Amino acid sequence: MSRLNGKVALVTGGASGLGAADARLLAEQGARVIVTDIDSEQGEAVAAQIPGALFLAHDVADEAQWISVLEEVRQRFGRLDVLVNNAGFVSFSTVEEQSLEQFRRHLQVMTEGTFLGCKHAIALMKERGGSIINISSVAALKGIAEVFAYTAAKGAIAAMGRSIAVHCQNQGYPIRCNTILPGAHDTPMTVKALSELAGADTDALTQLHEVGQGRPEDVGNLVVFLASDESRQINGAQLVIDNGETIK
Ligand SMILES: NC(=O)c1ccc[n+]([C@@H]2O[C@H](COP(=O)([O-])OP(=O)(O)OC[C@H]3O[C@@H](n4cnc5c(N)ncnc54)[C@H](O)[C@@H]3O)[C@@H](O)[C@H]2O)c1
């Protein structure tokens, strides 16, 4: 119950799926949690079930909103120890089908959203220290034709994490930055995405039946570990959590 006592943790996209599980598990280990999301109704509902949690409406693609969310965190808590850049979405297109508009939206929400979160959170964390945890995907390691823009966005997140970790070390900031690359986990995003694909693709149908094998809490437990001082030597890492699927 005390692995995260005294720590303040912010989870983006915390209204659903992996983010909601992260928020719950971080709080169970003693963190004071801020849940942020564009979905205020669902975000308020998730926060209401977590003792002491606060919900803030927040579009991660908007820099002004990052600045005001983190200012509110500073005023209310005086610190930020853990940032989980989790907000995201997926849509399907190959490179040939991909519209520029939708490509940019993937990069705005996931790549720019993660960049902005890291940039502005470092200012709050750099004296006392902190742990930044960015959620990428095994898509960053694979060649999945149907999720071109998502792959681009998630690949950039993994690359940025290494640069951020080294920058913080170079500056002497006690901030770690790690990247989690989940395989398929059972969340509303995955079930919706695989259902859409299943119409045309029998492999996807098989995956849909197997998706229950990865639970949001499986990623949440790794988030708790990376948030805690138990992982103090893990920095700039890319941690795959997919029960070995990617290496097959
Ligand atoms: N579920 C998986 O199998 C899986 C696998 C690999 C990576 N991921 C990644 O994990 C993260 C969470 O996915 P999930 O499966 O829990 O999805 P989800 O759809 O259940 O939750 C995503 C949340 O992000 C929020 N969101 C979307 N755009 C936002 C924005 N602009 N600003 C703030 N919030 C926004 C949504 O409202 C939603 O609450 C995503 O980044 C996703 O790409 C998930």
Side-chain angles (χ1 to χ4, degrees):
M1 276 293 287
S2 59
R3 293 162 78 198
L4 301 174
N5 266 3
K7 293 193 191 288
V8 174
L10 188 156
V11 181
T12 71
S16 176
L18 301 187
D22 296 345
R24 185 171 54 75
L25 293 174
L26 288 164
E28 279 178 14
Q29 294 301 326
R32 286 174 289 168
V33 172
I34 303 109
V35 171
T36 80
D37 206 288
I38 42 170
D39 183 342
S40 293
E41 195 180 333
Q42 190 57 29
E44 294 277 11
V46 166
Q49 290 170 357
I50 299 173
L54 169 71
F55 173 76
L56 296 174
H58 178 204
D59 180 347
V60 296
D62 183 328
E63 184 167 24
Q65 291 189 34
W66 265 114
I67 291 168
S68 72
V69 160
L70 290 174
E71 177 56 21
E72 184 150 0
V73 170
R74 195 187 62 75
Q75 284 182 15
R76 283 186 185 238
F77 302 96
R79 60 192 288 164
L80 180 68
D81 303 281
V82 179
L83 171 65
V84 186
N85 281 307
N86 164 80
F89 72 100
V90 66
S91 71
F92 294 98
S93 281
T94 65
V95 60
E96 287 193 273
E97 298 157 353
Q98 186 72 62
S99 73
L100 180 58
E101 186 190 12
Q102 188 67 345
F103 182 81
R104 285 182 173 153
R105 188 63 192 154
H106 282 78
L107 266 65
Q108 277 168 356
V109 172
M110 291 181 278
T111 310
E112 294 183 18
T114 298
F115 151 57
L116 293 170
C118 294
K119 172 174 174 158
H120 294 293
I122 285 170
L124 251 181
M125 291 176 164
K126 64 186 176 188
E127 281 176 26
R128 205 185 301 260
S131 174
I132 297 173
I133 301 159
N134 294 334
I135 307 300
S136 174
S137 164
V138 292
L141 303 175
K142 297 170 79 167
I144 308 176
E146 298 80 8
V147 290
F148 176 70
Y150 182 80
T151 300
K154 292 302 193 182
I157 288 172
M160 290 193 302
R162 297 190 293 273
S163 176
I164 291 163
V166 172
H167 168 73
C168 289
Q169 275 200 342
N170 288 347
Q171 297 302 312
Y173 304 154
I175 300 174
R176 295 180 292 117
C177 180
N178 289 295
T179 306
I180 297 179
L181 296 84
H185 285 72
D186 190 358
T187 69
M189 183 186 91
T190 312
V191 172
K192 180 171 172 285
L194 291 176
S195 304
E196 281 170 19
L197 265 187
D201 181 341
T202 50
D203 283 350
L205 249 188
T206 309
Q207 263 187 294
L208 179 60
H209 292 302
E210 288 174 354
V211 76
Q213 292 177 359
R215 299 187 315 271
E217 293 73 21
D218 295 323
V219 176
N221 287 327
L222 182 54
V223 166
V224 166
F225 173 65
L226 291 174
S228 78
D229 298 338
E230 295 158 22
S231 57
R232 56 191 284 272
Q233 280 291 94
I234 301 178
N235 192 10
Q238 296 185 186
L239 299 161
V240 174
I241 175 163
D242 71 344
N243 197 21
E245 278 303 311
T246 305
I247 55 169
K248 284 180 193 164

